[in-house]
Amino acid sequence: MRPKEALSRVELLKDVPDDALDELVQRATTMKMQPGRVIVEQGNTDSGLALILEGTAEVSVNGVTRASLGEGDYFGEMSLLDGAPRSATVTAGPEGAKTLAISPLTFTEVLDAYPGVARSLLVHLVGRIRSLESTLGS
């Protein structure tokens, strides 16, 4: 999957203008991870958003597998926004994974240059909170 196409499908970035997406792609880093390699580790203080361009990955919390990720899926949005330690470990799947990584510095600079992006983020985050509240209320 091409980086810009993949970014445009990220719910968090769905209302971001094309020129802002171009800026993110230009400043992002592409990494190829071997099968079984830890991409991010729960509790680490590194931060940033990663998007899977090829391959798969497994998400685990406290050693328990929680989800499988594939092309177009992303992780790290919470650490991207708040800088808190990673809430999960993500490990490259059996065929490895190619990711596009966006640093908090890059994201902040693009956010400052395109203030409308902040509204999209707020709408997305409020939607996640409402979904969580609904799940917890059940």
Side-chain angles (χ1 to χ4, degrees), residues 41-43 58-67 87-91:
E41 190 167 0
Q42 183 177 357
E58 298 295 319
V59 179
S60 62
V61 177
N62 299 323
V64 177
T65 300
R66 297 293 175 109
S87 61
T89 296
V90 180
T91 306

Side-chain angles (χ1 to χ4, degrees), residues 10-15 49 74 76-83 107 111 117-134:
V10 171
E11 182 68 24
L12 185 70
L13 304 173
K14 74 176 185 170
D15 295 324
L49 177 76
Y74 60 95
E77 69 278 13
M78 292 191 308
S79 74
L80 177 73
L81 297 172
D82 69 7
F107 191 75
L111 194 62
V117 173
R119 177 162 171 62
S120 174
L121 290 175
L122 290 171
V123 169
H124 172 76
L125 294 173
V126 166
R128 282 188 125 184
I129 291 168
R130 288 186 188 279
S131 176
L132 181 60
E133 286 176 339
S134 174

Side-chain angles (χ1 to χ4, degrees), residues 23-101:
E23 179 85 15
L24 286 171
V25 169
Q26 289 173 355
R27 298 181 61 189
T29 304
T30 303
M31 297 184 294
K32 187 144 176 111
M33 311 304 254
Q34 296 300 316
R37 180 160 179 216
V38 172
I39 302 171
V40 298
E41 190 167 0
Q42 183 177 357
N44 279 1
T45 56
D46 64 325
S47 56
L49 177 76
L51 176 67
I52 298 178
L53 299 175
E54 297 174 10
T56 61
E58 298 295 319
V59 179
S60 62
V61 177
N62 299 323
V64 177
T65 300
R66 297 293 175 109
S68 294
L69 304 176
E71 280 186 19
D73 289 329
Y74 60 95
F75 55 92
E77 69 278 13
M78 292 191 308
S79 74
L80 177 73
L81 297 172
D82 69 7
R86 298 284 186 174
S87 61
T89 296
V90 180
T91 306
E95 62 284 313
K98 180 178 178 183
T99 63
L100 182 74

